[in-house]
């Protein structure tokens, strides 16, 4: 989706007569404007307008503070080939989450979730998770294609609660659950590069992991961000015994998960250039 389309959509939602929803849409429009006028424009001088002087940075490559943010913008501007495709943007009060594809960080395009917290009219905090773009999964789906329309604004809190309960019971507590209480048995579209559609595809992937002795364990959900039919969770845990950050985006219909995207990346190690604020 083009950035101009996202900005127009955010402006329309902001006009709706619901205070909390309007606040979220206003923050969404602000973050998109900030990204357009700094990162995409390569304009270091605009950083002060949009980012707090003491911005907290959870990307382990960058230090806290606005000077480091200016360094990021300057670096990308200097590369000459930075491109960003913001595919999905959801806002939950002061939190704005972006599902994106980036070119220009290296030879391989990157798929990412970026999460921003807005405070007093500035971006005050940033989290992210990035992985290299992979080939389409066994069902032919990519890491970013699929539905984008935000609907069911009145179901935001219920959808957030269902997703958090699913992760807590199924992936943290490993409790015996009826999976169809959470995931639709009819439609389950999967964008993980290694997993096919449907509950059968998910089961086959988990069985293959078990055969290879690879475990996937979630230990804590740090954030649950939702807008209507989309819910993004930021969790930590381990994959194959290695500390891992899990960012999972779910789309829901009629109280059930029907589509899933994720970015699963290693947690920062002791040799990370910066990790003053921690990953989460």
């Amino acid at each position: 989706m083009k950035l101009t389309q996202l900005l127009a959509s955010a402006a329309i939602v902001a006009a709706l007569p619901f205070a909390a929803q309007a606040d979220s849409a206003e923050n969404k429009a602000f973050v998109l404007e900030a990204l357009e006028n700094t990162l995409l424009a390569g304009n270091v001088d605009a950083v002060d307008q949009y980012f707090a002087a003491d911005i907290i940075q959870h990307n382990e490559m960058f230090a806290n503070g606005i000077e480091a943010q200016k360094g990021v913008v300057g670096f990308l501007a200097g590369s000459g080939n930075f491109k960003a495709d913001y595919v999905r943007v959801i806002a939950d009060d002061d939190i704005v989450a972006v599902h994106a594809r980036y070119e220009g960080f290296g030879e391989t395009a990157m798929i990412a979730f970026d999460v921003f917290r807005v405070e007093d009219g500035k971006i005050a905090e940033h989290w992210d998770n990035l992985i290299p773009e992979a080939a389409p999964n066994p069902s032919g789906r990519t890491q970013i294609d699929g539905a984008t329309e935000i609907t069911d604004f009145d179901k935001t809190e219920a959808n957030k609660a269902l997703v958090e309960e699913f992760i807590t019971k199924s992936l943290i507590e490993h409790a015996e659950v009826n999976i169809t209480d959470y995931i639709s048995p009819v439609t389950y579209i999967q964008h993980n590069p290694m997993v096919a559609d449907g509950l059968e595809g998910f089961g086959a992937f988990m069985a293959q992991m078990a055969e290879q002795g690879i475990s996937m364990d979630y230990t804590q959900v740090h954030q649950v961000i939702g807008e209507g039919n989309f819910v993004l969770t930021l969790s930590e845990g381990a994959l194959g015994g290695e500390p891992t950050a899990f960012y999972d985006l779910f789309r829901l219909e009629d109280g059930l998960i029907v589509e899933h995207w994720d970015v699963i990346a290693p947690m920062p190690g002791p040799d990370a250039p910066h990790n003053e604020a921690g990953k989460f």
Side-chain angles (χ1 to χ4, degrees), residues 22-32 91 93-96 118:
D23 288 344
S24 295
E26 183 177 336
N27 287 331
K28 181 189 294 188
F30 172 76
V31 167
L32 289 172
D93 194 19
D94 61 345
I95 299 293
V96 178
V118 179

Side-chain angles (χ1 to χ4, degrees), residues 215-255:
S215 61
M216 184 174 68
D217 299 293
Y218 286 52
T219 56
Q220 184 177 355
V221 179
H222 287 273
Q223 290 197 57
V224 181
I225 303 159
E227 184 178 13
N229 54 333
F230 284 93
V231 178
L232 174 68
T233 58
L234 280 58
S235 309
E236 70 174 298
L239 181 63
E242 296 297 324
T244 300
F246 299 92
Y247 282 40
D248 293 277
L249 179 63
F250 303 89
R251 182 173 66 86
L252 295 91
E253 286 182 0
D254 299 323

Side-chain angles (χ1 to χ4, degrees), residues 19-273:
Q21 192 168 297
D23 288 344
S24 295
E26 183 177 336
N27 287 331
K28 181 189 294 188
F30 172 76
V31 167
L32 289 172
E33 180 184 314
L35 296 174
E36 181 178 38
N37 291 339
T38 59
L39 291 174
L40 292 178
N43 187 352
V44 175
D45 294 335
V47 172
D48 288 306
Q49 178 181 348
Y50 295 102
F51 293 85
D54 57 351
I55 178 175
I56 301 168
Q57 178 62 260
H58 296 273
N59 183 305
E60 67 274 14
M61 298 301 296
F62 307 112
N64 294 328
I66 200 163
E67 292 307 315
Q69 186 65 32
K70 291 178 180 179
V72 175
V73 174
F75 168 77
L76 293 177
S79 73
N81 59 353
F82 177 70
K83 297 179 182 178
D85 184 10
Y86 300 120
V87 184
R88 293 169 190 85
V89 185
I90 64 173
D92 190 341
D93 194 19
D94 61 345
I95 299 293
V96 178
V98 179
H99 189 194
R101 179 184 183 274
Y102 296 116
E103 295 181 16
F105 285 121
E107 294 183 3
T108 303
M110 302 295 288
I111 306 300
F113 286 108
D114 285 278
V115 178
F116 304 89
R117 181 174 62 84
V118 179
E119 180 180 345
D120 297 329
K122 298 286 182 72
I123 295 173
E125 195 163 4
H126 169 250
W127 301 260
D128 64 9
N129 222 27
L130 300 92
I131 54 173
E133 185 176 40
N137 69 13
S139 293
R141 304 189 189 279
T142 74
Q143 292 156 285
I144 58 171
D145 65 0
T148 59
E149 182 182 4
I150 301 174
T151 62
D152 300 332
F153 292 97
D154 60 323
K155 298 179 181 178
T156 296
E157 294 306 317
N159 287 338
K160 287 169 63 176
L162 181 133
V163 167
E164 185 170 15
E165 181 180 293
F166 166 66
I167 291 179
T168 300
K169 288 187 175 181
S170 180
L171 300 176
I172 295 178
E173 299 174 353
H174 297 290
E176 292 290 334
V177 300
N178 182 354
I179 197 70
T180 58
D181 288 341
Y182 302 99
I183 300 176
S184 169
V186 178
T187 302
Y188 182 44
I189 301 168
Q190 180 61 257
H191 297 272
N192 180 291
M194 301 179 66
V195 186
D197 286 351
L199 291 176
E200 298 83 359
F202 180 69
F205 172 71
M206 296 302 291
Q208 184 180 22
M209 293 252 293
E211 288 176 4
Q212 297 173 357
I214 301 173
S215 61
M216 184 174 68
D217 299 293
Y218 286 52
T219 56
Q220 184 177 355
V221 179
H222 287 273
Q223 290 197 57
V224 181
I225 303 159
E227 184 178 13
N229 54 333
F230 284 93
V231 178
L232 174 68
T233 58
L234 280 58
S235 309
E236 70 174 298
L239 181 63
E242 296 297 324
T244 300
F246 299 92
Y247 282 40
D248 293 277
L249 179 63
F250 303 89
R251 182 173 66 86
L252 295 91
E253 286 182 0
D254 299 323
L256 292 174
I257 296 166
V258 295
E259 195 162 9
H260 170 251
W261 302 259
D262 60 18
V263 169
I264 301 173
M267 289 283 285
D271 58 344

